[in-house]
Amino acid sequence: MLLNNIVLRNFRNYVDCEVSFSKPVNLIIGGNAQGKTSLLEAIYFLCTAESHRATRDGELIRHNEAGFYLRGTLGNSSNDVMSLEAMKRTRGQFKLKKNGVLQTKRSEWIGQFNAVLFSPESLVLVKGGPAERRRFLDLLISQIDSTYLKNLQKYRLVLRQRNELLKQIRTTFVDAVQLDVWDKLLIAHGAAIIIKRLEIFHQLKAYAMQNHQKLTGGKENLALTYCSTLEESEIGFLETKTETEIAKDFDVALNASRGADLQRGTTLVGPHRDDFLIELENAEARTYGSQGQQRTIALALKLAELELIRTVTGQDPIVLLDDVTSELDYKRTEYLLNVLQNLSAQTFITATHAEPLVHHLNQPNVLTVENAQINHTPETNFK
């Protein structure tokens, strides 16, 4: 489905704004701090029920206001229309509505309206720690597999309980045998998470390497390797194993780590501590890649996410690209624009200047943003 329009009320710096999107490609132009990124954030929030920038919903409320409200209308070629609403009051609960019906859980929202976002914050995929890359994988897989999301939620709950018990054993001398019950549950959900991550990572890796080749003109070689705490070395050996075999490996690893877990008061092995290694020309990109190279890798991963969602669901996600050409040289920008031009997905692109984007994109819908006010600008104004 395509986003036809969106309403923003007291969201970030927006007071009351409504904007329609008449074309698949939307180019959003404006200076810094005018509201470009906030518009993309609002679209992303409607699709995923979370922000890529805020840690709390309250941060999204305009200063000194009582709450925010978002409404989006989506439609398809069959003239089916869907209404999405998100609202949060300063002292009230967060609410989501689909076609006017209140949704009881955020988790039920995930995967219904897929979106892929690239922003300056996406660089943490390369520059950040393992938690950022795990979060990327978890959100991606959760959008396309509800069973994975349920296993992930149950695993996190069991992990919290096990860690609490570890602390109690250390301080009050509770019988450590009680860990056996939590270990069985942790292994069951953890093995399911690992096997699904391996399956999706294998596909993601192929798409990311292909996109990276396009973005660099084949001049740089990207390598991605999933790494697990179940083994001291890379997880390549586990790629050929069944879920049952991985569960046995997890059991062995937990038993071997129990002494250290008790000493530290936390669980040291499992998918909650996994990572994937990103290398460029056989060197770790996090340490040795330039800013432009790191940005290109993050973009390749995001484009791979798009292709994977499309392949699995049969539908294009909404694509949101914030300040996408910043710190890319002319060649990389040219390759990127060629890739964007061939996308069939509805795309939203922000930039401080229309050039060179407007001339490389086929009849984009050009919007200008100033002081959180959005206006349509004829493409001819840039010729």
Side-chain angles (χ1 to χ4, degrees), residues 17 26 54 76 188-189 203 208 243 341 345 360:
C17 179
N26 300 274
N76 60 20
H189 298 305
Q203 298 174 60
E243 186 175 331
Q341 187 57 56
H360 281 81

Coordinates of all heavy atoms in Angstrom, one line a residue, residues 17 26 54 76 188-189 203 208 243 341 345 360:
C17 N -0.2 20.1 10.7 CA 0.2 20.1 9.3 C -0.4 18.8 8.6 O -0.4 17.8 9.2 CB 1.7 20.0 9.2 SG 2.4 19.9 7.5
N26 N 9.0 11.0 -3.5 CA 8.8 12.3 -2.9 C 10.1 12.9 -2.4 O 10.8 12.3 -1.6 CB 7.8 12.1 -1.7 CG 6.5 11.6 -2.1 OD1 5.6 12.3 -2.5 ND2 6.4 10.3 -2.1
A54 N 14.1 8.9 19.1 CA 13.7 9.1 20.5 C 13.7 7.8 21.3 O 13.4 6.8 20.8 CB 12.3 9.7 20.6
N76 N -4.4 1.3 -2.0 CA -3.8 0.5 -3.0 C -4.5 0.6 -4.3 O -5.4 1.4 -4.5 CB -3.7 -1.0 -2.5 CG -5.1 -1.6 -2.3 OD1 -6.1 -1.0 -2.8 ND2 -5.2 -2.6 -1.5
A188 N 15.3 -23.3 24.4 CA 14.2 -23.5 23.4 C 14.0 -22.2 22.5 O 13.9 -22.3 21.3 CB 12.9 -23.9 24.1
H189 N 13.8 -21.1 23.2 CA 13.5 -19.9 22.4 C 14.8 -19.4 21.7 O 14.7 -18.8 20.6 CB 13.0 -18.8 23.4 CG 11.7 -19.2 24.0 ND1 10.6 -19.6 23.2 CD2 11.3 -19.2 25.3 CE1 9.6 -19.8 24.1 NE2 10.0 -19.7 25.3
Q203 N 20.5 -14.5 3.5 CA 19.9 -13.7 2.4 C 20.3 -12.3 2.4 O 20.6 -11.7 1.4 CB 18.4 -13.8 2.5 CG 17.8 -15.3 2.4 CD 16.4 -15.3 2.6 OE1 15.6 -14.7 1.9 NE2 15.9 -16.0 3.6
A208 N 23.2 -7.4 0.4 CA 24.0 -6.3 0.8 C 25.3 -6.2 0.0 O 25.7 -5.1 -0.5 CB 24.4 -6.4 2.3
E243 N 17.9 -26.9 14.1 CA 17.6 -26.2 15.3 C 17.9 -27.0 16.5 O 18.3 -26.6 17.6 CB 16.1 -25.8 15.3 CG 15.7 -24.9 16.4 CD 14.2 -24.4 16.3 OE1 13.8 -24.3 15.2 OE2 13.6 -24.2 17.3
Q341 N 16.3 5.3 -8.6 CA 15.5 5.5 -9.8 C 14.8 4.2 -10.2 O 13.7 4.2 -10.7 CB 16.3 6.0 -11.0 CG 15.4 6.4 -12.2 CD 14.4 7.4 -11.9 OE1 14.6 8.5 -11.4 NE2 13.1 7.0 -12.1
A345 N 9.4 0.9 -5.0 CA 8.8 1.2 -3.7 C 8.5 2.7 -3.6 O 9.1 3.6 -4.2 CB 9.7 0.9 -2.5
H360 N 17.9 13.6 -11.5 CA 18.2 12.2 -11.6 C 17.0 11.3 -11.4 O 17.0 10.1 -11.7 CB 19.3 11.7 -10.7 CG 20.7 12.1 -11.2 ND1 21.2 13.3 -11.1 CD2 21.6 11.3 -11.9 CE1 22.4 13.3 -11.6 NE2 22.7 12.2 -12.1

